[in-house]
């Protein structure tokens, strides 16, 4: 009687049993990402996605064990186009797919309506949406991972008064939740600082021709114009200011700190565009230069405004899972609320509304069309 086939069969079953056991010891955790992966702000969405991807790869390399299982992080990235309707659809899709951790959205106008969907779906959200309304909804486990418009807009007004020494300013906003919010905060603080607001104008986040607005403002002789809006509008605005011989500085929030402004605006942005961005100066932060080099090696491009912030928060979530010994967002969130995490772009501590309690801000200008950090506050 030949027992060899039975022996092989038994071995096969043993191998299958081992494989099944190994599989049972692995826990997949999907990290969602919502951002503009198409359209004029795609550069920002891709940078944010890259920050998350880099963190996921590092977390997977650690072979973290939580509740007896090795975590395997996977990325599910969706294009919200910086559009509220698309963003809500993305939120519903991620929630329907059982995603419990979402990095993004990038645009406040998406983050505000989408946050309700994520909250109803029990998902944790980590966003760079800066409008104060983003964290005013009272949703649990919603974190703003950078400074808010209140901090960014008001800091830029103080900088205009104290450092640039201007006395007359004008304000233009694109009517988006972000643009309007940051412009309002700038205007409030500018008046507190004793600056005269000589004009307020409005545009859209699709416009590229600002000649009529700028011609109107030129007659009022502002020394600085604050623009509440995004890089694809700021760059042509800077070029058209130069074309009209308007010598005012162009000030803005974090969106104007993107290298995209230099790429689109050319030499018109040099020593003219000044912006405030959440986060420390990466060049001077502990681990900052190493992160920039690591990012460049992995993606063959330089990190933009918030790649480091998205990387930091994803790493913090991984660490919080270990501390909580759970992947439940409520337990992980409880760890994050009481944590103090030293990341690349800053130290992450949050208040009960999900705002950073220590949100550093860096002011930049452009030299040779490249954003150059001036000082951190």
């Amino acid at each position: 009687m030949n027992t060899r086939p039975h022996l092989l069969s038994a071995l096969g079953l043993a191998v299958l049993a081992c494989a099944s056991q190994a599989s049972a010891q692995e826990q997949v955790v999907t990290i969602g990402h919502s951002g503009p992966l198409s359209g004029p702000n795609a550069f920002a969405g891709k940078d944010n996605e890259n920050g998350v991807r880099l963190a996921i790869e590092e977390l997977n390399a650690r072979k973290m064990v939580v509740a007896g299982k090795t975590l395997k992080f996977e990325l599910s990235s969706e294009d919200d186009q910086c559009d509220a309707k698309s963003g809500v659809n993305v939120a519903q899709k991620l929630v329907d797919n059982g995603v419990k951790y979402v990095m993004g959205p990038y645009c406040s106008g998406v983050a505000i309506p989408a946050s309700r969907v994520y909250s109803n779906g029990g998902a944790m959200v980590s966003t760079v949406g800066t409008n104060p309304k983003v964290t005013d909804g009272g949703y649990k486990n919603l974190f703003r991972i950078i400074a808010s418009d209140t901090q960014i807009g008001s800091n830029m007004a103080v900088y205009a008064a104290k450092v640039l020494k201007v006395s007359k300013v004008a304000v233009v906003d694109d009517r988006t939740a972000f643009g309007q919010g940051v412009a309002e905060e700038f205007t409030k603080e500018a008046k507190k600082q004793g600056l005269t607001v000589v004009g307020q104008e409005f545009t859209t986040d699709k416009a590229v021709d600002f000649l009529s607005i700028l011609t109107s403002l030129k007659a009022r002789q502002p020394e600085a114009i604050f623009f509440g809006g995004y890089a694809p509008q700021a760059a042509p605005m800077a070029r058209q200011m130069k074309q009209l011989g308007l010598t005012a500085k162009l000030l803005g929030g974090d969106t104007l700190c993107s290298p995209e402004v230099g790429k689109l605006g050319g030499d018109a942005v040099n020593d003219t565009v000044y912006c405030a961005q959440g986060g420390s100066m990466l060049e001077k932060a502990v681990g900052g230069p190493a992160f920039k080099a690591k990012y460049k090696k992995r993606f063959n491009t330089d990190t933009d405004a918030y790649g480091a912030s998205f990387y930091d928060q994803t790493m913090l979530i991984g660490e919080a899972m270990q501390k909580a010994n759970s992947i439940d967002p409520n337990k992980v969130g409880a760890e994050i609320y009481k944590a103090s995490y030293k990341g690349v772009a800053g130290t992450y501590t949050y208040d009960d509304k999900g705002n950073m309690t220590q949100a550093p801000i860096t002011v930049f200008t452009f030299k040779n069309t490249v954003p150059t950090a001036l000082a951190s506050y």
Side-chain angles (χ1 to χ4, degrees):
M1 181 178 175
N2 187 356
T3 58
R4 191 169 179 80
H6 298 286
L7 179 61
L8 288 173
S9 175
L11 283 170
L13 287 171
V15 168
L16 282 172
C18 286
S20 170
Q21 190 176 12
S23 173
Q25 297 307 310
E26 188 174 82
Q27 174 71 59
V28 173
V29 178
T30 302
I31 306 289
H33 167 257
S34 171
L37 301 178
S38 63
N41 285 297
F43 67 91
K46 196 64 190 171
D47 179 58
N48 300 343
E49 180 191 86
N50 285 345
V52 178
R53 190 183 301 279
L54 193 60
I56 282 176
E57 290 171 356
E58 291 187 18
L59 289 172
N60 282 336
R62 292 183 182 183
K63 304 288 185 188
M64 293 165 47
V65 176
V66 168
K69 294 184 179 180
T70 302
L71 300 188
K72 182 186 179 187
F73 293 91
E74 294 182 351
L75 176 64
S76 177
S77 189
E78 296 288 340
D79 181 11
D80 65 29
Q81 302 169 40
C82 258
D83 173 76
K85 186 178 178 182
S86 296
V88 168
N89 289 338
V90 162
Q92 196 61 60
K93 178 180 178 181
L94 290 172
V95 164
D96 288 347
N97 288 341
V99 175
K100 295 298 183 185
Y101 295 89
V102 178
M103 306 301 297
Y106 169 70
C107 294
S108 293
V110 177
I112 294 167
S115 58
R116 179 188 295 274
V117 179
Y118 289 124
S119 178
N120 290 342
M124 177 183 291
V125 177
S126 301
T127 179
V128 291
T130 54
N131 189 294
K133 291 177 183 174
V134 170
T135 54
D136 282 347
Y139 299 123
K140 188 170 146 188
N141 294 334
L142 187 152
F143 299 97
R144 192 202 319 272
I145 62 176
I146 57 165
S148 71
D149 285 344
T150 307
Q151 296 157 303
I152 290 172
S154 60
N155 267 271
M156 209 63 239
V158 172
Y159 190 84
K162 306 287 190 195
V163 182
L164 297 178
K165 306 285 189 188
V166 303
S167 58
K168 293 194 296 182
V169 297
V171 179
V172 181
D173 82 65
D174 67 358
R175 299 280 89 181
T176 65
F178 162 70
Q180 196 170 351
V182 75
E184 285 173 357
E185 296 300 334
F186 173 86
T187 304
K188 278 194 286 188
E189 187 60 38
K191 289 175 179 176
K192 283 183 192 172
Q193 294 293 324
L195 302 181
T196 303
V197 180
V198 297
Q200 287 185 272
E201 300 283 350
F202 312 107
T203 183
T204 75
D205 60 344
K206 308 290 188 296
V208 290
D209 183 353
F210 308 101
L211 288 172
S212 61
I213 286 176
L214 294 173
T215 300
S216 171
L217 291 179
K218 184 180 179 183
R220 302 173 214 178
Q221 300 180 313
E223 296 157 280
I225 298 171
F226 183 90
F227 175 56
Y230 292 90
Q233 283 64 53
M237 189 178 289
R239 287 203 313 270
Q240 289 160 35
M241 285 170 63
K242 185 177 181 182
Q243 181 184 331
L244 290 172
L246 185 51
T247 58
K249 304 297 186 188
L250 181 60
L251 315 180
D254 51 327
T255 48
L256 270 65
C257 294
S258 168
E260 197 74 5
V261 171
K263 290 175 189 171
L264 297 174
D267 62 6
V269 306
N270 291 335
D271 298 311
T272 295
V273 174
Y274 287 78
C275 57
Q277 177 183 312
S280 304
M281 294 168 63
L282 281 186
E283 294 81 0
K284 295 187 178 179
V286 175
F291 172 80
K292 290 178 74 173
K294 179 168 59 179
Y295 184 104
K296 180 75 177 275
K297 183 179 179 183
R298 173 64 180 84
F299 302 111
N300 198 32
T301 186
D302 291 318
T303 186
D304 204 284
Y306 291 125
S309 300
F310 276 87
Y311 168 86
D312 284 346
Q313 181 73 358
T314 307
M315 296 299 287
L316 169 53
I317 288 170
E319 187 171 285
M321 285 177 180
Q322 280 199 302
K323 286 182 178 175
N325 197 32
S326 172
I327 60 168
D328 181 313
N330 289 327
K331 293 179 180 177
V332 174
E335 291 295 335
I336 292 176
Y337 280 116
K338 66 185 182 186
S340 177
Y341 178 78
K342 178 66 177 168
V344 174
T347 298
Y348 296 78
T349 56
Y350 294 101
D351 64 18
D352 58 359
K353 291 179 73 174
N355 293 308
M356 286 181 72
T357 57
Q358 304 172 42
I361 287 174
T362 300
V363 175
F364 291 78
T365 189
F366 283 75
K367 304 283 186 185
N368 297 317
T369 73
V370 175
T372 303
L374 296 172
S376 287
Y377 300 94

